[in-house]
Amino acid sequence: MPNTEYSKLKLLYLYHYFRKYVSAEAPGDGTTMADMMAYLNEMTGAEFERKSIYSDIDRLNQFARSAGLCDDSSPWIELDGKTYRRGEIIGDLTFDEARLIVDAINATDFIDSGLCEKIKGMYPTYFKTGYKSVVPHDDKQVQKRSMYLLNTIRNAIEEEIVLEFKYGYVVAGGLRGTVDKLVSPIGLDFKNSHYYLIAVDNMAVDGGLKKADAIKNYRLDRMKAVNMRPKETYCGFDNNRDEVLRRFIKTSLDAFSYKGTDDRHVTITMRSSDTRKLLRAYTGFSEDMKPTIISDKIEKGEIKFSVETGLVPPFFNKLFKTCMYEDVEMIIDDEEVKKKYEEYLKKALKVCRS
């Protein structure tokens, strides 16, 4: 029926149909002329001739090529026997990308998993087989609060505005032992399912500390009463902010509070008569680090490597945990590191005896 009121909308309905209901991924997926006609009838209540649909498919292919939605070498929609198949849209999420994003969202506390439903709605063919993602985390109150914090922090970073907030410890579902903070935000980091604000401690700078030595991490779920203070002096790094952030993230192991220290390469040797125990210890140590192998003699019970780090508490905590692996010897080839590690252990022992 070329003269119906829906004939001009038919082309748009077909485009929507192929984008939303016909997958470009699965080799067995596709659609038939009967399917298309049934869909158009459902949407418009009208019957259309096959010839007009053939013409519309030609127009869609012409549009897709001219708009850069597909490769010029082949049509976006083509007939394979009695099945119509479509190619990928350039810039669209792929099958694997869409599922990876849904998994990541469901595994992250601060993102409302309702976002997963939006992605599934945009790409229903990727999820129509009843795909089961990882178990979702659904603390709605935390999600809404975290999204508000993220928006506030991003605005403060972009506009270079000082932030004030209360910072404490999460205990029994509440925030305890809070202290007031006044900081100049310079970036955001994400690790171990948590967002961290990277910022210069304005109070420390006012006390005489250099800006580079006053950079700290603040975990979002330990922050509350966050407000922007545009009248306060912003302590930023102008044109070298990216380099400052890069060095800080690389040096600040595990995103703990940090007082500023130069990077250094620490050489460590691990030995064990049991290959599996040696591998287990090395894997445990390298989980949050990026070691460089110097000598790989695993089959002989030894591995030597170096790691770039600051001499911060999380690094010494990592050394301590590694020492707990049974029948594994660890040798640190750095006198200053050994001295500071000994001080760290003495402090721990003093706490245990008190």
Side-chain angles (χ1 to χ4, degrees):
M1 292 185 180
N3 295 321
T4 67
E5 60 178 307
Y6 294 107
S7 60
K8 293 181 180 180
L9 292 175
K10 176 164 55 72
L11 183 64
L12 297 177
Y13 278 128
L14 278 175
Y15 176 74
H16 178 73
Y17 176 77
F18 274 98
R19 282 296 305 270
K20 192 164 186 177
Y21 300 112
V22 181
S23 173
E25 294 284 339
D29 200 11
T31 188
T32 65
M33 179 59 70
D35 291 334
M36 287 185 275
M37 294 178 73
Y39 173 76
L40 291 172
N41 178 257
E42 179 185 352
M43 299 302 295
T44 67
E47 300 285 346
F48 295 97
E49 298 176 354
R50 290 173 176 259
K51 185 177 180 180
S52 69
I53 298 176
Y54 296 146
S55 297
D56 283 341
I57 290 175
D58 289 338
R59 292 189 184 96
L60 289 176
N61 281 330
Q62 182 181 357
F63 165 73
R65 283 192 293 266
S66 63
L69 301 182
C70 67
D71 195 329
D72 288 338
S73 62
S74 59
W76 179 43
I77 302 169
E78 51 186 344
L79 184 60
D80 179 13
K82 294 184 178 181
T83 302
Y84 287 87
R85 308 189 189 282
R86 78 163 178 89
E88 290 185 358
I89 292 291
I90 295 175
D92 255 11
L93 292 178
T94 67
F95 178 84
D96 291 329
E97 288 171 343
R99 292 191 167 193
L100 179 63
I101 289 172
V102 167
D103 285 345
I105 291 170
N106 272 332
T108 306
D109 291 333
F110 65 86
I111 299 180
D112 187 342
S113 58
L115 182 57
C116 294
E117 301 309 315
K118 294 180 182 178
I119 295 175
K120 291 177 180 179
M122 292 171 64
Y123 300 94
T125 57
Y126 295 165
F127 301 95
K128 65 182 181 182
T129 56
Y131 174 69
K132 296 295 184 184
S133 181
V134 296
V135 178
H137 299 185
D138 290 322
D139 188 338
K140 303 298 182 183
Q141 185 176 358
V142 171
Q143 291 159 3
K144 290 180 180 178
R145 176 177 172 273
S146 296
M147 292 302 291
Y148 169 77
L149 277 177
L150 282 173
N151 290 333
T152 301
I153 290 170
R154 287 192 179 109
N155 288 334
I157 293 171
E158 292 172 4
E159 301 296 329
E160 297 188 344
I161 297 174
V162 171
L163 287 173
E164 68 170 356
F165 54 88
K166 293 186 180 297
Y167 195 62
Y169 300 90
V170 180
V171 178
L175 206 58
R176 310 289 182 82
T178 60
V179 294
D180 294 328
K181 295 290 182 179
L182 194 68
V183 305
S184 298
I186 58 174
L188 281 165
D189 190 18
F190 180 73
K191 192 171 184 177
N192 298 330
S193 295
H194 288 290
Y195 259 120
Y196 294 84
L197 166 66
I198 303 173
V200 176
D201 185 338
N202 280 33
M203 296 176 181
V205 173
D206 290 342
L209 200 63
K210 294 180 180 178
K211 288 191 296 184
D213 294 336
I215 304 174
K216 297 180 181 179
N217 270 311
Y218 302 94
R219 213 170 84 178
L220 259 65
D221 64 337
R222 294 175 56 187
M223 299 166 57
K224 72 175 183 178
V226 180
N227 293 296
M228 289 193 278
R229 294 284 296 275
K231 293 184 179 180
E232 296 287 343
T233 301
Y234 182 82
C235 301
F237 293 90
D238 300 324
N239 296 327
N240 66 332
R241 185 182 72 174
D242 291 344
E243 176 62 19
V244 170
L245 284 170
R246 184 194 68 79
R247 287 180 59 82
F248 175 78
I249 291 173
K250 184 169 62 173
T251 304
S252 182
L253 178 66
D254 282 343
F256 289 171
S257 182
Y258 164 80
K259 293 184 178 179
T261 180
D262 292 333
D263 294 356
R264 67 191 296 135
H265 289 277
V266 180
T267 300
I268 297 173
T269 302
M270 288 184 185
R271 292 173 183 157
S272 178
S273 58
D274 189 318
T275 301
R276 287 179 62 83
K277 290 180 179 179
L278 179 61
L279 288 170
R280 189 180 301 119
Y282 174 75
T283 302
F285 180 88
S286 62
E287 193 171 37
D288 299 315
M289 308 288 287
K290 292 184 178 179
T292 300
I293 302 296
I294 297 174
S295 175
D296 181 358
K297 299 178 181 178
I298 294 289
E299 68 284 353
K300 295 182 179 180
E302 180 180 296
I303 183 169
K304 188 175 184 179
F305 56 90
S306 69
V307 62
E308 188 175 7
T309 179
L311 301 189
V312 291
F315 174 62
F316 296 119
N317 186 38
K318 175 68 71 173
L319 293 178
F320 177 75
K321 288 181 178 178
T322 305
C323 289
M324 294 297 102
Y325 285 96
E326 185 180 1
D327 299 329
V328 176
E329 179 186 13
M330 183 174 65
I331 303 166
I332 303 171
D333 187 16
D334 188 307
E335 292 303 320
E336 184 179 358
V337 172
K338 287 194 286 187
K339 182 179 178 181
K340 289 185 177 294
Y341 181 43
E342 185 179 355
E343 293 172 357
Y344 173 86
L345 292 175
K346 286 180 177 178
K347 288 181 180 179
L349 185 59
K350 184 177 181 181
V351 171
C352 291
R353 287 176 174 173
S354 62

